[in-house]
Structure formats: C-alpha cells, structure tokens
C-alpha cells in the first residue's frame, strides 16, 4: 500500500498538531491539541512523525527529564498504516536519540497493543498503572485552579518522581495553576472528553484527599485519573469519589533501575508524560 520512497521519518512540527490530535482521538485517547503542543514545546527534538504521501501516519514522542530519565509517549499509528513497522521504526529512532544523549533510564506506560513491541526493544515491566474515570458533564467546565505563591513541586517532585520534571510542571502551571497545601500539590487540565486529574504528589494521605476532594467535588465535569493500584490510599480515595477503573496499562523501563515513590504519587502527569 505504501510505495517505497513515499514514507518519511522526520521531526514532528507544529503543522502536525491537528492531524496528530485526530490520530489520538481515533484511538479513543483524551489528549487535546494543547497536550500535543506541550510535548512539542518541551521536546522539539524528541517528537517524531512518520509521513506517508505527505500525510501524518504515525507518531512517537520522547521527553527528556535531564539525562536521568526520558519518557516515551504518543506511540500511535493510523489504522490503515498499522503492521507496516512504523511504530517499531519510530521507537528505534527515539531510543537511538536517547542513547546518543546518554539518558540513563527510559520509561513508558504500555497498552496491551504496545507491550510486546516494547519488550522486544528491551523494556521490562515495573508495575501496573490504571486509568480511572468518573462520569459527568462536558470537560469544558473544568474549574480554574488557584494561583499559588509557593511552588512546592520544586523540591518534592524530583524526590518522589525520581527525576527533574520542573519544566513540565511549570508549563502545566501556566496553563492551569495547581492547588497546593503545604508540601502537597495537585494539577488538573482540560481533556478531549474528560478533565484530567494529575499530577498529584503528597506524602500525607489526608492532605491528598483534601486536595483531590476539593477539586473534583467543585466540578461537575467528567474526570480521568491515572493511578498506581499499589497506592492503596489513592485507590480508596478514587472509589470514595465515585471513580471506577477503565483501562489497565503497564509501566515499563529500559536501562538503569529508577523507581518512583508510588505511595506519594496519587495521580501521574499522563501516560505520555510520566
Ligand atoms: C501499537 C501500535 C502503535 C503499533 O503500531 P504499528 O505501526 O502497527 O506497529 P509495527 O508495525 O511497528 O509493529 C510492531 C510490533 O507490534 C506488534 N503489533 C502491531 N500491532 C499490534 C496489535 N494491534 N496488537 C498486538 N501487537 C501488535 C507486531 O507484532 C509487531 O511486531 P513484529 O515487528 O515482531 O511483527 C498501533 O497498533 C496503535 O496505534 N495502537 C493504538 C494505540 C496504542 O495502543 N499505542 C501504544 C501505546 S503504549
């Protein structure tokens, strides 16, 4: 179907954002054009596209958190181009870039469809991760966060997450200021079909509960929330607030061991972000 010579692996650019958002929507994912823009702005060298006859056919993103960790996301191939080796080629290119930059660890959150591909490229499973959701009205009604003077994520986040993702958090804070109480914080952002809750980091379950309850109960919109089932406080809280599990993924890693402190992570930043 695809003639040799018409395929091009190249950097993802701003013009790719609308077709890329269509691609993620076709897969049933919740990302918006703004989410794609965030990835491109934070990682102009790491976002890759496969073009066929001038059209976007597949994508993969690589977001670096210093040289300690890089995150693979948005591994998507348009239905009519699947099983042509596009995802494998894009991933191999992204991994080559990461190896050239001497990134110690590369991680991702794998769907069932992607898992065997990642295993064949040297990724190992670390732990389960789940999408929980709560129905509601449309996501456009996401309440604005509150501007906070403190930026507690500066110190705590890298201790809990394991790498410095302050550029990402600054970008998310500009889009919608987070809520914070002492050393705990919660971000939220609009999604395509439901508002997205996370990241949320707290070393105190009661504080995490207060932050999340206040955010979710003040908004009537539908919510999505990605959590580690190993964090039993997060699971209990999600159930209490009327969320239920929707999708099961597996967090996978390649390279040097790096474990997040999942008991202090109540919500991740996104499957494509970590
Ligand atoms: C997963 C996905 C990206 C694969 O894209 P692709 O371009 O078709 O993948 P490739 O042709 O490079 O195939 C790579 C390997 O994945 C496997 N694979 C591809 N599609 C698969 C599917 N639907 N189910 C199971 N395995 C699949 C193939 O066995 C292949 O292995 P091989 O090279 O040894 O034959 C694509 O099916 C997709 O976009 N799915 C929906 C979104 C998704 O789940 N993305 C993964 C996020 S972690």
């Amino acid at each position: 179907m695809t003639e040799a010579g018409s395929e091009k692996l190249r950097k993802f650019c701003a013009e790719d954002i609308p077709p890329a958002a269509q691609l993620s929507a076709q897969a049933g994912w919740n990302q918006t054009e703004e989410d794609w823009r965030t990835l491109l702005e934070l990682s102009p060298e790491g976002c890759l596209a496969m073009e066929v006859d001038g059209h976007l056919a597949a994508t993969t993103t690589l977001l670096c958190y210093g040289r300690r960790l890089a995150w693979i996301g948005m591994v998507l191939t348009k239905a009519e181009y699947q099983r042509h080796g596009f995802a494998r080629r894009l991933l191999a290119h992204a991994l080559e870039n990461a190896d050239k930059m001497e990134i110690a660890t590369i991680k991702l959150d794998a769907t069932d469809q992607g898992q065997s591909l990642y295993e064949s490229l040297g990724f190992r499973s670390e732990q389960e991760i789940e999408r929980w959701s709560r129905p509601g009205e449309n996501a456009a009604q996401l309440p604005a966060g509150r501007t906070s003077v403190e930026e507690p994520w500066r110190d705590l986040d890298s201790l809990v997450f394991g790498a410095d993702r302050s550029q990402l958090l600054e970008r998310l804070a500009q889009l919608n200021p987070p809520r914070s109480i002492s050393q705990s914080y919660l971000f939220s952002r609009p999604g395509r079909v439901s508002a997205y809750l996370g990241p949320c980091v707290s070393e105190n379950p009661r504080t995490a509960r207060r932050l999340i309850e206040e955010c979710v109960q003040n908004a009537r919109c539908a919510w999505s929330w990605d959590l580690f089932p190993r964090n039993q406080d997060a699971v209990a809280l999600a159930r209490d607030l009327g969320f239920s599990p929707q999708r099961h993924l597996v967090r996978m890693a390649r390279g040097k061991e790096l474990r997040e402190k999942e008991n202090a992570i109540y919500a991740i930043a996104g499957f494509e972000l970590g």
Side-chain angles (χ1 to χ4, degrees):
M1 182 183 57
T2 56
E3 286 170 23
S6 63
E7 298 166 10
K8 192 156 100 187
L9 195 164
R10 57 164 175 79
K11 278 190 214 163
F12 185 96
C13 59
E15 290 70 41
D16 292 318
I17 290 176
Q22 276 178 20
L23 187 53
S24 48
Q26 278 160 10
W29 294 2
N30 195 34
Q31 283 87 357
T32 61
E33 289 197 9
E34 196 61 50
D35 292 318
W36 281 99
R37 200 165 295 115
T38 294
L39 282 162
L40 182 59
E41 282 187 13
L42 294 175
S43 185
E45 301 296 316
C47 296
L48 300 173
M50 182 68 80
E51 182 185 303
V52 177
D53 296 332
H55 298 289
L56 185 71
T59 58
T60 287
T61 59
L62 177 85
L63 179 56
C64 296
Y65 298 124
R67 279 165 60 188
R68 184 65 194 90
L69 175 68
W71 209 272
I72 298 261
M74 307 313 275
V75 180
L76 281 161
T77 300
K78 214 171 171 180
E80 60 261 45
Y81 297 113
Q82 288 181 5
R83 304 240 170 208
H84 285 63
F86 288 178
R88 184 177 289 282
R89 277 168 64 190
L90 284 164
L91 274 163
H93 200 87
L95 294 177
E96 208 179 290
N97 286 346
D99 289 343
K100 271 190 213 145
M101 288 185 280
E102 297 180 358
I103 306 287
T105 306
I106 304 170
K107 290 202 186 196
L108 53 81
D109 291 325
T111 61
D112 286 348
Q113 283 191 337
Q115 199 173 340
S116 64
L117 171 61
Y118 304 132
E119 276 164 3
S120 74
L121 291 166
F123 284 84
R124 57 186 185 273
S125 300
E126 280 193 344
Q127 65 173 313
E128 285 184 18
I129 185 154
E130 289 177 346
R131 159 68 48 94
W132 286 57
S133 65
R134 184 175 107 151
E137 291 166 10
N138 76 53
Q141 294 175 355
L142 175 68
R146 283 188 222 129
T147 319
S148 80
V149 188
E150 294 168 63
E151 291 181 345
W153 64 84
R154 287 198 184 282
D155 299 325
L156 182 60
D157 195 75
S158 58
L159 290 177
V160 170
F161 179 66
D164 178 7
R165 56 176 182 177
S166 53
Q167 279 187 324
L168 167 68
L169 298 184
E170 274 161 24
R171 159 94 188 165
L172 296 179
Q174 278 166 13
L175 296 174
N176 197 28
R179 291 149 197 272
S180 66
I181 304 172
S182 62
Q183 282 287 293
S184 307
Y185 50 88
L186 165 66
F187 288 72
S188 57
R189 60 182 187 267
R192 185 180 64 86
V193 285
S194 52
Y196 189 80
L197 185 107
C200 178
V201 168
S202 176
E203 286 180 316
N204 181 329
R206 275 196 306 251
T207 311
R209 178 173 284 263
R210 220 179 109 192
L211 276 172
I212 295 176
E213 263 178 6
E214 212 179 275
C215 176
V216 168
Q217 287 179 342
N218 283 340
R220 288 153 130 203
C221 57
W223 285 96
S224 289
W225 172 359
D226 301 328
L227 55 79
F228 296 110
R230 277 192 194 163
N231 183 337
Q232 286 298 309
D233 291 321
V235 171
L237 177 54
R239 283 205 195 284
D240 289 351
L241 291 174
F243 283 76
S244 57
Q246 300 297 320
R247 295 172 64 201
H248 299 261
L249 287 86
V250 177
R251 178 151 294 191
M252 302 183 86
R254 175 185 182 268
K256 198 171 164 195
E257 177 85 8
L258 174 70
R259 292 307 290 264
E260 51 275 311
K261 293 184 182 160
E262 64 268 359
N263 283 339
I265 299 178
Y266 283 77
I268 68 160
F271 295 137
E272 74 283 24
L273 302 170

